[in-house]
Amino acid sequence: MSMLQDKFRLQIPGPTPVPTRIQQAMLRPMMGHRDPESSELVTACSQRLRPLFGTSQPVLILTASGTAALEAAVVNSVKPDGEAAVVVTGAFGDRFAKILNKNNIVTHRLDIPWGKACTPEELSAFLKERPQVEAVFFTYCETSTGVLNPIRQLAAVVREQTDALVVVDGVSAVGGAPALADEWGIDILVTGSQKALMLPAGLSFAAVSQQAWKRIEANTRPRFYLDLAAYRDSLAKKTTPYTPAVSLFYGLEAALDMIEEEGLETIFVRHELMMRMTRAGVRSMGLELLTTESDASPTVTAVKGENGSAESIRAEMKKLNIRLAGGQQHLKGKIFRIGHMGYSDPLDIVTTIAALEVAATRAGVPIKLGAGIQATEEEWIDASRADH
Amino acid sequence: MSMLQDKFRLQIPGPTPVPTRIQQAMLRPMMGHRDPESSELVTACSQRLRPLFGTSQPVLILTASGTAALEAAVVNSVKPDGEAAVVVTGAFGDRFAKILNKNNIVTHRLDIPWGKACTPEELSAFLKERPQVEAVFFTYCETSTGVLNPIRQLAAVVREQTDALVVVDGVSAVGGAPALADEWGIDILVTGSQKALMLPAGLSFAAVSQQAWKRIEANTRPRFYLDLAAYRDSLAKKTTPYTPAVSLFYGLEAALDMIEEEGLETIFVRHELMMRMTRAGVRSMGLELLTTESDASPTVTAVKGENGSAESIRAEMKKLNIRLAGGQQHLKGKIFRIGHMGYSDPLDIVTTIAALEVAATRAGVPIKLGAGIQATEEEWIDASRADH
């Protein structure tokens, strides 16, 4: 085995690299989860997470991966005989639909071509025919395509036309893109730990609106581990209902230190810049982006590669020690995805684009060698000019 | 703050101290959970866990704490119109009952006085009146009282008298006490990571029998994140259905290395010895044990302390930098609990008993100073004599 085997760059859209500082924090000696120190830790994390969700409500923390928080949003928001709508823009919208189906919920599905965002007009027309739905499920950043759905506008459409709760999968977005749950009218906003929050997987999060709590309390659908009211009630007593993943909480505290030190606005600007640098590089070397400028997410970029080139480029990238992600479901083999979120900086993008030129050339895909990296650097230089 | 603030000894019944070797393993760089390295990791962990569960089946690994695995056992084993029986010997049997109730399952509850194990005779009489139950839920080690229920005999009673599945909460037992799922006829055996497995909380485990799979497949009760068949099917494809807590899997691999190096039989002997040393020390200094010899668990020991002495002794122990656990529910304030499982050795018990003599004396509880530690040491010496 190569001495360099551990030296890979993880440029996938989650899990993201874990900073040394967070790893060190996770090494604190184990403590009892009912000790006063744990109460402080749980309470402080919940409070400090609020700006990332744009809410004045405490943020609930589940020991489970993001899918559990998606299911928690489903089983808490839709009553046993209730109907739901889900906007599917990719594999994670589809996961919401699967969770709804598995829970025997009558589901109205708005399918948008993968690679495009849902428009307010599409949603409006769809909901006009289905005013009875109790909740509408959205994906903010659709990780499988690199699309950022216009949640602010979509939430406004729901508010205007129905009484439904607005439920948003914020995985791959919260912490990397602005999310203003209170201001935008999001009722339940969830995310996971292994994306912009820079942690290993194992924690997930939910911010819940006052309006949603009323519905949740009246909802008799069976649930125990995923009962959000249990998390809220325990948090009021400064604890968690079930054993928390304490080492990940140690890491979360360090992640919040890092986020507060850089500042959320600066973090969002950094993510936007990484997106622009990635897109400029890909486009200028002659590869094709999956999404338009206006639909693009600041955290992940999908690149087209027909006739097997997506997978052969990804394989060459792996040999260069950079890990990219492939496509999912019907996009498998047709795209590759570059993650640029969390503990990732513009220089990582320079490295990735430079390697991409080498990898594409080695894979026999005709690109303009040097053109990509030049465009990437120009985006970076322009950004620092704008700063001065 | 004292320089010694981190030097506390965590002698509670979970979470247990995390060995340095496991902490170091968790520091490996983050990797993609769909990468081939992750497939190897997940598959190897699942295979290597089998001896701890006494099963030839692969062990399923959930990213969630133990309660999620308890609920998974419930929602997978009992059909929508099915009835269940639960044996409640303490707070964790009661948790099973709560999960059953929250899931609207008609539940027949056999309550045993806290501090005692359920006998085969009690169970037999109880089940005779309720042959219709689809599953019987047991707690192997009842962490809240330090009772080890005789699961082998109890499972035999269920097999003899009913067609019900035998479901066992193995938290605080698996890895510290023998658990032979296949041989004893356990259909679902679950545990969590933060007990005898020496890891932080965040993973839980389920071993499922062939007979149980047939019932699970025919069960239409809604479930997604807790659908055990999803974990089984993904494992057959060398992966997990949802994002796994990769850093905890790194730790699990190291924990299995440590367990295999010491050997399961040696580990069980060590836990039995720690139990005997603890009980001898407590009894000889003049304090009262909650459970009888034959009902006692090798992983946790509960000590009575009426009129507030349990809490005052525990508070003095904390000042000495040893953390013990209190009582739960109606035993709150009436007992304290000493955990002796996982990364814990006889010398930790010597330390704990010595400190307990000091703490009890400081708390004004009359004990025979020196008598406890002498009895503890004698148990240890006897054990090493028996080895030669």
Side-chain angles (χ1 to χ4, degrees), chain A residues 11 274 277 344-353 373 376 380:
Chain A
Q11 218 69 46
M274 292 193 293
M277 289 171 66
S344 193
D345 67 9
L347 202 50
D348 288 328
I349 306 306
V350 168
T351 307
T352 303
I353 295 298
I373 191 66
T376 298
W380 198 7

Side-chain angles (χ1 to χ4, degrees), chain B residues 43-234:
Chain B
T43 312
C45 285
S46 166
Q47 298 275 340
R48 293 169 69 192
L49 280 164
R50 292 182 302 180
L52 282 74
F53 291 77
T55 181
S56 60
Q57 304 293 317
V59 176
L60 310 178
I61 308 174
L62 284 67
T63 290
S65 53
T67 300
L70 298 186
E71 189 174 16
V74 166
V75 297
N76 283 274
S77 65
V78 187
K79 292 202 298 287
D81 59 349
E83 301 183 19
V86 58
V87 175
V88 179
T89 56
F92 289 93
D94 187 56
R95 175 160 297 180
F96 249 148
K98 284 197 178 108
I99 296 172
L100 286 156
N101 290 334
K102 276 272 194 177
N103 281 285
N104 297 333
I105 293 166
V106 175
T107 301
H108 304 269
R109 184 177 164 129
L110 172 54
D111 274 288
I112 306 292
W114 290 27
K116 290 194 190 313
C118 176
T119 66
E121 295 71 31
E122 287 168 315
L123 179 65
S124 175
F126 180 77
L127 287 181
K128 216 160 265 166
E129 312 290 315
R130 297 156 184 94
Q132 76 277 22
V133 296
E134 291 184 356
V136 186
F137 292 84
F138 297 101
T139 315
Y140 187 10
C141 172
E142 176 48 68
T143 317
S144 66
T145 61
V147 158
L148 196 77
N149 282 295
I151 293 299
R152 176 182 207 144
Q153 290 89 319
L154 297 173
V157 170
V158 178
R159 287 271 174 265
E160 219 176 271
Q161 294 184 208
T162 76
D163 287 327
L165 295 176
V166 175
V167 181
V168 176
D169 169 356
V171 179
S172 301
V174 170
L180 299 173
D182 291 355
E183 195 182 315
W184 297 354
I186 300 174
D187 291 298
I188 306 182
L189 175 60
V190 306
T191 193
S193 53
Q194 77 281 13
K195 306 276 185 168
L197 289 176
M198 307 179 285
L199 291 162
L203 295 181
S204 51
F205 309 90
V208 180
S209 74
Q210 284 298 345
Q211 168 178 258
W213 280 124
K214 279 179 214 140
R215 307 266 194 104
I216 290 171
E217 280 159 13
N219 183 357
T220 60
R221 183 180 293 277
R223 57 200 189 266
F224 190 84
Y225 195 73
L226 299 181
D227 181 10
L228 292 177
Y231 290 83
R232 177 196 60 180
D233 297 346
S234 290

Side-chain angles (χ1 to χ4, degrees), chain A residues 345-369:
Chain A
D345 67 9
L347 202 50
D348 288 328
I349 306 306
V350 168
T351 307
T352 303
I353 295 298
L356 194 54
E357 293 191 337
V358 174
T361 303
R362 285 190 177 167
V365 178
I367 57 122
K368 285 180 251 167
L369 199 65

Side-chain angles (χ1 to χ4, degrees), chain A residues 6 8 10 12 14-16 18 23 26-33 35-37 63-65 67-68 71 95 98-99 102-104 194 200-202 222-227 241-245 247 318 323, chain B residues 6 8 10 12 14-16 18 23 26-33 35-37 63-65 67-68 71 95 98-99 102-104 194 200-202 222-227 241-245 247 318 323:
Chain A
D6 275 353
F8 58 84
L10 195 62
I12 64 176
T16 60
V18 178
Q23 288 196 313
M26 292 195 296
L27 290 184
R28 275 178 60 193
M30 186 49 54
M31 64 180 175
H33 55 280
D35 282 348
E37 298 91 329
T63 290
S65 53
T67 299
E71 189 174 15
R95 175 160 296 182
K98 284 197 178 108
I99 296 172
K102 277 272 194 177
N103 281 285
N104 298 332
Q194 78 281 14
R223 57 201 189 266
F224 190 84
Y225 195 73
L226 299 180
D227 180 11
Y242 317 117
T243 311
S247 66
K318 190 172 175 185
R323 304 289 172 94
Chain B
D6 275 353
F8 58 83
L10 195 61
I12 65 176
T16 59
V18 178
Q23 288 195 313
M26 292 195 296
L27 290 183
R28 277 178 60 192
M30 187 48 55
M31 64 179 175
H33 55 279
D35 282 348
E37 297 91 329
T63 290
S65 53
T67 300
E71 189 174 16
R95 175 160 297 180
K98 284 197 178 108
I99 296 172
K102 276 272 194 177
N103 281 285
N104 297 333
Q194 77 281 13
R223 57 200 189 266
F224 190 84
Y225 195 73
L226 299 181
D227 181 10
Y242 318 116
T243 311
S247 65
K318 191 172 175 185
R323 304 289 173 94

Side-chain angles (χ1 to χ4, degrees), chain B residues 332-343:
Chain B
K332 200 171 174 140
K334 295 182 178 163
I335 61 166
F336 61 85
R337 292 173 297 147
I338 303 168
H340 34 78
M341 74 182 113
Y343 193 57

